[in-house]
Amino acid sequence: MEKSATFRREITALGDVFDFIESMFAAGGIDPEMRFPVDLAVEEIFTNFVKYNPAGKGGIGLCLTLEDSELRMALTESDSAPFDL
């Protein structure tokens, strides 16, 4: 199972990001106790994209993939200058 979405490059978009993660947990029957570390990791990376790449113009993509009992997440930027986290 895989779900992807693109979010506005704004800290205020985190509510939408967390709703998206919640929908994946519900659809995939993922243990709710795993939610906090996933939310924390995504929040940190998302926030770094917003704060430390002010030249970024595109949205921030989030892809969650559930395969067997493994959840993978990928955050990506589009139309942004390269930078180091």
Side-chain angles (χ1 to χ4, degrees):
M1 165 185 234
E2 182 174 293
K3 290 183 78 152
S4 297
T6 301
F7 300 93
R8 297 177 323 278
R9 175 181 288 281
E10 301 171 5
I11 298 296
T12 57
L14 280 170
D16 294 334
V17 171
F18 295 141
D19 289 345
F20 174 77
I21 294 169
E22 181 178 348
S23 72
M24 178 64 163
F25 269 66
I30 303 169
D31 181 354
E33 291 202 17
M34 296 307 303
R35 179 77 193 275
F36 176 76
V38 171
D39 280 352
L40 180 61
V42 170
E43 179 180 9
E44 287 295 317
I45 296 167
F46 188 94
T47 301
N48 283 344
F49 281 166
V50 173
K51 290 169 71 173
Y52 300 115
N53 191 13
K57 298 185 188 327
I60 297 172
L62 173 58
C63 179
L64 298 173
T65 305
L66 180 62
E67 189 173 306
D68 299 321
S69 62
E70 182 178 289
L71 178 66
R72 288 187 308 269
M73 57 187 163
L75 282 97
T76 57
E77 293 188 280
S78 59
D79 301 327
S80 295
F83 75 104
D84 292 327
L85 287 175

